[in-house]
């Protein structure tokens, strides 16, 4: 029986094949070569800090989701990105998946033209074409979902991303997936508390899985942030950064909310030290 993730991936393949007919891989490689060098998302997320005493925020531009439907119209994604950057977001995530999230590469282009912070192309990466595409459109970081990829793909896609100067956020949901991410030498590992097969959220999963991630890696808490209490919970249980979408796009003052989340996270990290 097909899962939600299976259905999303099938649509991603179909849409990608349509883009391939318009822009060849060779053309993408030329565009990627002409793009400005990738920004250092690893450092932006605190990877080089001796003491990781700050909680970083990856702020997401997200119009809709399979679980909640429409979240926000976001007529001007660049303006929203500017608010995120002003609020102190370390990385801005731009959803480019079309069918379930109403995103596009045009959103990524618009945001790239407006802000200087590192950008995550948030999509379901299934083919190297998408990696070249991400770099050609100015992404500095891509998402690899362990549940969607083989071990060989994880290694190969990570290696290609590094060759292009980009960092990789490797998303996990289970202990076995964390083991696979570590085996692939992932340096930025996300724990998504949303089950992509059912879309259910279980925030308690984070604490049990984050402790399995090596200390040298960055730990990203994904999904389930409703407010300060959730931020505090994630930071207290080992998160170096949180990825937040719905709570920001549905807020009238996302700049203030990012600052609030950052402060709450720093306090929780200080308390656990």
């Amino acid at each position: 029986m097909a899962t939600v993730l299976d259905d999303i991936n099938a649509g991603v393949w179909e849409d990608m094949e349509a883009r391939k007919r318009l822009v060849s891989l060779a053309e993408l490689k030329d565009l990627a070569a002409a793009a400005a060098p990738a920004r250092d998302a690893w450092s932006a997320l605190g990877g080089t800090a001796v003491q990781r005493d700050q909680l970083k925020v990856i702020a997401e531009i997200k119009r809709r989701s399979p679980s909640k439907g429409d979240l926000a119209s976001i007529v001007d994604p660049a303006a929203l990105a500017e608010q995120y950057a002003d609020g102190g977001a370390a990385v801005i995530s731009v959803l480019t998946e079309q069918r379930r999230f109403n995103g596009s590469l045009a959103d990524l282009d618009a945001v790239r033209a407006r802000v200087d912070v590192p950008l995550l192309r948030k999509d379901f990466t299934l083919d190297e074409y998408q990696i070249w595409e991400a770099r050609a459109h100015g992404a500095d970081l891509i998402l690899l979902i362990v549940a969607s990829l083989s071990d060989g793909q994880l290694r190969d896609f990570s290696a290609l991303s590094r060759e292009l100067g980009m960092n990789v956020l490797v998303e996990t949901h289970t202990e076995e997936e964390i083991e696979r991410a570590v085996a692939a030498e992932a340096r930025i590992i996300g724990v998504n508390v949303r089950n992509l097969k059912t879309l259910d959220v279980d925030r308690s999963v984070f604490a049990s899985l984050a402790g399995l991630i090596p200390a040298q890696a960055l730990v990203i808490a994904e999904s389930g942030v409703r407010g300060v209490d959730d931020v505090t919970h994630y930071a207290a249980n080992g998160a170096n950064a949180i990825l937040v979408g719905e709570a920001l796009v549905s807020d009238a003052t996302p700049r203030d909310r990012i600052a609030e989340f950052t402060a709450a996270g720093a306090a929780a990290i200080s308390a656990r030290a």
Side-chain angles (χ1 to χ4, degrees), residues 40-104:
D40 186 358
W42 169 257
S43 295
L45 290 170
T48 58
V50 176
Q51 298 292 331
R52 299 177 184 176
D53 57 355
Q54 298 294 319
L55 183 79
K56 304 296 185 179
V57 175
I58 302 174
E60 188 155 87
I61 293 172
K62 181 178 185 179
R63 289 191 177 87
R64 72 184 319 274
S65 75
S67 60
K68 296 288 185 67
D70 292 335
L71 302 174
S73 59
I74 313 182
V75 175
D76 189 347
L80 179 58
E82 196 166 39
Q83 291 189 62
Y84 286 170
D86 289 347
V91 169
I92 295 174
S93 171
V94 182
L95 270 153
T96 59
E97 197 279 333
Q98 301 168 237
R99 300 187 182 208
R100 299 296 187 102
F101 296 90
N102 197 23
S104 69

Side-chain angles (χ1 to χ4, degrees), residues 39-42 44 89-93 112 116-120 140-141:
R39 291 158 178 79
D40 186 358
W42 169 257
V91 169
I92 295 174
S93 171
R112 177 74 293 159
D116 290 327
V117 299
L119 299 185
L120 164 65
D140 311 293
L141 181 67

Side-chain angles (χ1 to χ4, degrees), residues 5 9 12-13 16 20 124-131 142-163 168-171 180-181 183-186:
L5 181 59
N9 285 343
V12 167
W13 270 113
M16 178 176 56
K20 283 181 177 181
F124 297 76
T125 305
L126 303 172
D127 187 88
E128 72 167 79
Y129 182 90
Q130 294 166 284
I131 300 173
I142 66 162
L143 178 72
L144 297 181
I145 301 175
V146 174
S148 294
L149 303 170
S150 68
D151 291 341
Q153 287 174 315
L154 281 173
R155 289 192 301 271
D156 292 346
F157 291 173
S158 296
L160 174 58
S161 301
R162 289 193 296 269
E163 288 174 17
V168 179
L169 168 56
V170 178
E171 179 175 298
R180 292 179 58 205
E185 301 182 345

